Amino acid sequence: MNRSLHLIKNLVWAEKYRPATIDDVILPSSLRLTFEGFRAQGVVPPNLILSGPPGMGKTTVARALCNDLKYDVLEINASLDRNIDVLRNDILSFASSASLEGSRKCVILDEFDYANPQSLQPALRNVMETYSSNCSFIMTCNHLNKIIGALHSRTTIVDFSSITKEERKETLVLFIKRLMAILGKENVTVSNTKVVIELASKYFPDMRRTLNEMQSYCAKNNNVLDIGAIPVKATSDLTGLVKLLKAKNFKGLREWVSENSDIDFDQFVRDFYDQSPKFVEESSMYALIVHLGEYSYRKSFVVDPEIHLISMLVMVMQDVQFKSV
């Protein structure tokens, strides 16, 4: 293993404690039965798409399933290697050759919703069919609609977001127990178990982010996890911004965005939505909600968050009527 990668795996809790088998992965009951069923059959369906929000364990499950089945694995991050060259240079070579151990092969294509839909995604169809007797493909994604329909029809799709309220509660309890175990292994002093529960609930189902937030706080706080780890929810003061939007003051709007470039976008959108009845005409609420929803969805794909924020506000300024403030 590359030395720098080895250090990361031992320093970053989310990697250090990543489960290696399906038995160790925290999953809702319905999903656990699905993957235990695959394992019991001794083979993954020829091709799988694991879809759902970040941090729910899609990549972990893909790796764990391959570990349990002793597959020979090639893993590719499609958000980095997203064009046709990765298929020509890596995937074809791997899928077409026999495993040295005689085991089945599997290509894990992580974050495949970022793969080029004009080149890599269409080209993968033929490769999947040609080498189906020798190689399986497991794709993970946050946004299933970013993967072309032709691949949907060639795969078994497992949706990690389709869980019941009871399964959510059950999984959260298991996650809290796992967090407590990890904190114990890292010799972290926990001032109050409620802190762990609060953090797990705040970021659930993103388990990776919860661990990262805890580790970051403990590193700055002498390995102590206390009430200070829980972010204080601050409500945005939108009065000045609304005045700029109402006046269609684009220059002022650019200055506001520049001064608030470090804003928590998700919290800002939530505050805008919650406070909107105070300053948005009722007839414009539909347009506002459509823009907020659309730009919340697009946030996962943006390169420049500042341009993304001002683009959303320009659309709001153009289409939304404001009350006097």
Side-chain angles (χ1 to χ4, degrees):
M1 180 186 293
N2 180 282
R3 186 171 184 274
S4 60
L5 181 59
H6 178 77
L7 287 172
I8 290 172
K9 286 183 176 293
N10 280 279
L11 290 176
V12 179
W13 293 355
E15 290 298 328
K16 185 176 180 180
Y17 296 102
R18 185 191 288 269
T21 69
I22 290 296
D23 289 338
D24 291 334
V25 181
I26 295 173
L27 288 169
S29 301
S30 56
L31 290 180
R32 177 167 297 283
L33 286 173
T34 296
F35 294 113
E36 286 179 346
F38 293 157
R39 185 177 61 183
Q41 294 169 14
V43 63
V44 173
N47 306 297
L48 276 174
I49 293 180
L50 309 183
S51 172
M56 287 194 71
K58 301 182 298 295
T59 304
T60 296
V61 163
R63 293 176 182 175
L65 196 56
C66 289
N67 283 341
D68 284 348
L69 295 172
K70 301 189 183 329
Y71 279 7
D72 187 4
V73 175
L74 170 67
E75 185 171 342
I76 292 171
N77 187 323
S79 66
L80 300 175
D81 300 309
R82 55 185 301 181
N83 292 310
I84 193 70
D85 288 344
V86 72
L87 184 140
R88 295 170 179 152
N89 300 333
D90 300 315
I91 297 174
L92 271 174
S93 174
F94 178 80
S96 62
S97 61
S99 169
L100 294 176
E101 294 79 20
S103 58
R104 186 171 176 80
K105 292 191 164 191
C106 185
V107 178
I108 298 175
L109 293 159
D110 205 19
E111 299 184 346
F112 196 64
D113 38 347
Y114 289 96
N116 193 311
Q118 278 77 48
S119 57
L120 177 54
Q121 290 195 33
L124 188 65
R125 295 174 301 179
N126 184 54
V127 175
M128 290 165 62
E129 292 173 349
T130 301
Y131 300 105
S132 60
S133 62
N134 181 56
C135 186
S136 295
F137 289 80
I138 301 178
M139 290 156 270
T140 74
C141 66
N142 296 332
H143 306 288
L144 186 60
N145 66 325
K146 293 293 182 180
I147 296 179
I148 61 174
L151 292 179
H152 290 202
S153 64
R154 289 168 169 81
T155 58
T156 298
I157 299 172
V158 181
D159 185 359
F160 277 58
S161 61
S162 295
I163 61 175
T164 65
K165 289 183 179 179
E166 286 305 313
E167 285 181 322
R168 179 184 174 88
K169 291 177 184 177
E170 161 203 323
T171 309
L172 180 57
V173 169
L174 293 173
F175 183 44
I176 291 167
K177 290 180 178 178
R178 179 70 57 84
L179 289 173
M180 291 300 297
I182 290 172
L183 292 169
K185 290 177 181 178
E186 293 295 329
N187 298 313
V188 172
T189 300
V190 179
S191 65
N192 191 319
T193 307
K194 289 183 179 179
V195 176
V196 180
I197 296 172
E198 186 80 17
L199 284 171
S201 301
K202 175 178 174 57
Y203 297 118
F204 187 83
D206 193 336
M207 303 183 189
R208 179 175 56 241
R209 182 173 180 185
T210 309
L211 278 171
N212 289 342
E213 293 289 340
M214 285 184 170
Q215 183 174 12
S216 176
Y217 184 82
C218 290
K220 296 181 289 187
N221 203 45
N222 298 317
N223 230 28
V224 174
L225 187 69
D226 55 29
I227 195 70
I230 301 173
V232 177
K233 182 180 177 181
T235 303
S236 306
D237 180 3
L238 301 178
T239 305
L241 173 61
V242 170
K243 288 180 178 178
L244 295 171
L245 293 171
K246 181 177 173 62
K248 300 191 183 304
N249 184 344
F250 179 69
K251 180 180 178 182
L253 183 63
R254 286 196 63 176
E255 291 174 355
W256 187 94
V257 170
S258 180
E259 292 168 2
N260 293 273
S261 59
D262 60 346
I263 200 168
D264 182 327
F265 185 83
D266 292 332
Q267 186 61 54
F268 172 73
V269 169
R270 184 73 229 187
D271 289 342
F272 209 122
Y273 174 76
D274 288 342
Q275 297 178 42
S276 58
K278 295 188 299 184
F279 51 74
V280 173
E281 296 287 356
E282 187 175 350
S283 59
S284 286
M285 287 298 293
Y286 175 79
L288 175 68
I289 292 169
V290 167
H291 288 318
L292 295 182
E294 176 67 19
Y295 277 83
S296 291
Y297 166 74
R298 292 183 185 179
K299 189 197 72 168
S300 300
F301 308 98
V302 301
V303 175
D304 191 317
E306 186 174 332
I307 293 177
H308 179 68
L309 175 58
I310 197 165
S311 175
M312 181 186 77
L313 292 175
V314 166
M315 293 302 295
V316 170
M317 183 169 66
Q318 172 182 291
D319 296 339
V320 173
Q321 296 297 315
F322 293 91
K323 300 175 182 178
S324 299
V325 294

